[in-house]
């Protein structure tokens, strides 16, 4: 889909009709806010963006919209065609720049190239995810939401902008911070992480800025802070929304000019550190209620990245589950068909973190068989607390005697064979080396009929 954002009715009508005549699906909007809303409602492959639109009619305001359309290719169109503006547009993430009046032949070529780029990007992302390569930046998934997030990281990483990562708990905000660092020119320098809510307020200043010997009771030696440790690299401030008000002021000073003062020091010091912050809280609401500084909020959000919940990327659930199972079971386990259906149909309030914990727990409980370990829906349901542990698992985990252990093994082997043969008694008996009558007697005794 192509999103055409321009406030001139004649240009909208003619260009929209011309693009549709080429066979493209086109949506037309007349201002920046409508363009962003339309893009979020239905992600486009290409955005044709006029920089000077209502309400500001200012090309600089139009430049600020460009990151909102990631991962789509953005082609800027403007009557203010000058070299400096073109460079700013490219720096902001634009893919190409066309001066008005737009030449139809040039537009045809640019549109064709942009749409081909979008097609190839989707294909590469899908192949990389299926192959398990590092091209996914540690952020696994083929959904549009994850493809867009990875594309934005690639654009943001080379810059010096601070980044604010927002999203629900368990969606991989720290993975995003690591991906930004690894893809940046700072990759060879340290990535230092601190959880702002896990450090007592009275110690947070010392942790971040360091202290000098004798500056407080117990300060027996000079100690560098995390900012000094991260010099030349990246500092990840996890759960920035939990930072005490007094520390917010001091962090703002550092963000403004790169200067900080260790506890007990009289002179400020300098450090070159890129800040990546993250939170699951609504910082805009925290600003409104006065618990988070407005100036710090705007200083942190040089660029905002949002990690999607699993509800926004349901198609990635089986892919993630198989990845976690492969890691924990080293390729010796698989999901049963009912398990995959169960995974896809469940709502994961804890997102990827909850999914991973469920898979790891279920893999530990699943019963090994001759063909390897098969993780079932029952195993997963128990892992998340939705159902009791299956009887065969209980018997296997806690046998009280040798006789009970043998009985549990016999029960498990019969159940597994029945599952493999689709409960065909003749085939099951042949697989287990029993007569059909003997198998039926054992099943009666075990309550399996």
């Amino acid at each position: 889909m192509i999103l055409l954002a321009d406030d001139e009715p004649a240009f909208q009508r003619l260009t929209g009709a011309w693009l549709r005549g080429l066979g493209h699906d086109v949506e037309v909007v007349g201002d920046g806010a409508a363009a962003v809303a339309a893009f979020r409602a239905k992600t486009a492959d290409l955005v044709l963006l006029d920089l000077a639109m209502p309400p500001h009619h200012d090309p600089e305001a139009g430049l600020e919209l460009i990151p909102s359309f990631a991962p789509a290719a953005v082609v800027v169109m403007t009557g203010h065609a000058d070299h400096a503006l073109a460079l700013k547009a490219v720096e902001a993430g634009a893919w190409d720049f066309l001066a008005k009046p737009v030449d139809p032949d040039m537009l045809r070529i640019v549109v064709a190239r942009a749409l081909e780029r979008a097609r190839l990007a989707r294909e590469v992302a899908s192949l990389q995810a299926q192959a398990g390569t590092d091209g996914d930046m540690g952020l696994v998934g083929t959904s549009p939401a994850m493809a867009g997030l990875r594309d934005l990281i690639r654009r943001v990483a080379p810059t010096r902008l601070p980044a604010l990562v927002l999203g629900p708990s368990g969606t991989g905000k720290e993975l995003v911070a690591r991906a930004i660092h690894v893809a940046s020119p700072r990759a060879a320098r340290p990535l230092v992480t601190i959880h702002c809510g896990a450090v007592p307020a009275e110690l947070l200043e010392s942790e971040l800025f360091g202290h000098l010997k004798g500056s407080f009771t117990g300060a027996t030696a000079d100690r560098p802070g995390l900012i000094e440790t991260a010099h030349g690299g990246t500092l990840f401030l996890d759960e920035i929304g939990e930072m005490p008000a007094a520390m917010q002021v001091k962090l703002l000073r550092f963000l403004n000019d790169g200067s900080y003062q260790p506890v007990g020091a009289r002179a400020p010091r300098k450090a070159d550190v890129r800040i990546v912050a993250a939170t699951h809280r609504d910082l805009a609401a925290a600003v409104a209620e006065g618990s988070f500084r407005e100036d710090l909020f705007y200083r942190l959000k040089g660029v905002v990245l949002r990690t999607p919940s699993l509800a926004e990327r349901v198609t990635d659930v089986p892919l993630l589950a198989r990845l976690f199972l492969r890691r924990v079971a080293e390729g010796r386990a698989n999901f049963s068909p009912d398990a995959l259906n169960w995974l896809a149909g469940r709502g994961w309030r804890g997102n990827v973190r909850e999914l991973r914990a469920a898979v790891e727990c279920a893999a530990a409980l699943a019963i090994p068989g001759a063909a390897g370990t098969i993780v079932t829906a029952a195993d997963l349901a128990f892992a998340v607390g939705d159902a009791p542990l299956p009887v065969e698992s209980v018997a296997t985990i806690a046998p009280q005697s040798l006789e009970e252990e043998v009985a549990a093994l016999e029960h498990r082997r019969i159940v597994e064979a029945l599952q493999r043969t689709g409960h065909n008694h003749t085939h099951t008996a042949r697989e287990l080396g029993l007569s059909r009558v003997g198998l039926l007697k054992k099943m009666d005794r075990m309550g399996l009929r």
Side-chain angles (χ1 to χ4, degrees):
M1 193 266 282
I2 299 174
L3 178 61
L4 173 61
D6 195 288
D7 63 323
E8 298 178 17
F11 187 83
Q12 289 180 353
R13 185 173 61 258
L14 294 173
T15 306
W18 184 79
L19 290 170
R20 292 186 186 99
L22 295 176
H24 301 302
D25 179 17
V26 182
E27 183 167 349
V28 179
V29 294
D31 61 71
V36 173
F39 184 80
R40 289 177 178 172
K42 184 180 180 182
T43 303
D45 295 313
L46 169 63
V47 178
L48 299 174
L49 179 67
D50 180 16
L51 288 185
M53 289 191 297
H56 304 291
H57 296 281
D58 179 9
E60 294 292 335
L63 291 174
E64 295 178 1
L65 294 174
I66 293 174
S68 303
F69 302 117
V74 178
V75 175
V76 166
M77 305 179 300
T78 179
H80 303 268
D82 62 75
H83 183 68
L85 186 61
L87 287 178
K88 287 183 179 179
V90 173
E91 288 175 356
W95 189 67
D96 211 336
F97 187 97
L98 294 176
K100 287 185 174 181
V102 177
D103 178 81
D105 291 330
M106 180 61 71
L107 181 59
R108 180 188 293 110
I109 293 171
V110 169
V111 166
R113 289 177 59 238
L115 294 178
E116 177 65 10
R117 166 193 175 276
R119 185 190 68 78
L120 290 174
R122 286 194 301 270
E123 184 176 331
V124 168
S126 177
L127 291 173
Q128 286 175 335
Q130 292 173 20
T133 67
D134 292 335
D136 58 20
M137 309 174 74
L139 300 165
V140 176
T142 58
S143 63
M146 291 305 293
L149 179 59
R150 287 192 294 266
D151 189 77
L152 185 55
I153 289 171
R154 293 186 185 97
R155 295 186 184 194
V156 168
T159 73
R160 298 178 62 87
L161 289 172
L164 180 60
V165 187
L166 304 177
S169 295
T171 52
K173 294 186 287 294
E174 185 170 355
L175 290 177
V176 171
R178 184 172 300 279
I180 291 173
H181 175 73
V182 170
S184 77
R186 300 171 178 266
R189 303 294 297 166
L191 169 65
V192 179
T193 298
I194 182 171
H195 191 296
C196 298
V199 181
E202 62 273 14
L203 297 179
L204 187 56
E205 181 179 3
S206 175
E207 282 293 308
L208 280 176
F209 301 130
H211 63 255
L212 301 186
K213 179 181 179 180
S215 56
F216 54 84
T217 303
T220 57
D222 291 356
R223 182 184 178 189
L226 297 181
I227 284 179
E228 183 176 342
T229 303
H231 179 67
T234 304
L235 178 64
F236 176 49
L237 301 172
D238 197 7
E239 293 305 336
I240 187 71
E242 310 301 323
M243 179 172 281
M247 276 304 303
Q248 292 179 31
V249 178
K250 295 175 181 178
L251 178 62
L252 179 63
R253 177 186 177 187
F254 176 71
L255 283 169
N256 283 335
D257 60 13
S259 67
Y260 68 98
Q261 201 159 329
V263 178
R266 296 186 177 182
R269 301 179 183 179
K270 288 272 190 176
D272 172 25
V273 175
R274 184 185 194 171
I275 298 292
V276 178
T279 183
H280 72 282
R281 292 183 59 191
D282 184 344
L283 280 191
V287 168
E289 68 184 22
S291 62
F292 199 84
R293 292 182 63 95
E294 184 176 22
D295 46 6
L296 177 58
F297 174 55
Y298 288 114
R299 194 66 183 82
L300 286 170
K301 56 180 295 190
V303 62
V304 176
L305 302 95
R306 290 181 170 81
T307 54
S309 66
L310 273 186
E312 299 173 81
R313 45 184 298 218
V314 176
T315 56
D316 290 337
V317 171
L319 185 65
L320 287 164
R322 288 190 181 99
L323 173 66
F324 297 145
L325 185 62
R326 187 165 64 246
R327 287 176 179 174
V328 72
E330 299 178 349
R332 298 189 300 270
N334 287 297
F335 289 110
S336 65
D338 69 328
L340 290 174
N341 292 334
W342 187 92
L343 285 165
R346 188 179 190 275
W348 297 95
R349 292 188 300 273
N351 296 295
V352 179
R353 184 181 294 125
E354 183 188 8
L355 174 64
R356 178 175 182 171
V359 171
E360 291 177 349
C361 179
L365 296 172
I367 300 170
T373 300
I374 303 297
V375 177
T376 67
D379 297 321
L380 290 162
F382 173 78
V384 299
D386 287 352
L389 187 65
V391 174
E392 59 267 26
S393 297
V394 174
T396 304
I397 290 173
Q400 297 178 351
S401 66
L402 178 61
E403 183 178 352
E404 289 175 340
E405 188 172 353
V406 171
L409 175 61
E410 186 177 45
H411 182 278
R412 188 186 72 199
R413 289 291 307 279
I414 291 175
V415 169
E416 289 174 350
L418 287 168
Q419 290 176 343
R420 283 193 297 271
T421 62
H423 285 261
N424 183 301
H425 296 158
T426 301
H427 292 170
T428 300
R430 185 181 301 119
E431 180 178 324
L432 294 173
L434 300 171
S435 67
R436 188 174 185 278
V437 173
L439 171 64
L440 294 176
K441 287 182 178 179
K442 288 180 181 291
M443 290 174 62
D444 288 335
R445 188 173 70 249
M446 296 176 182
L448 295 176
R449 290 184 69 191

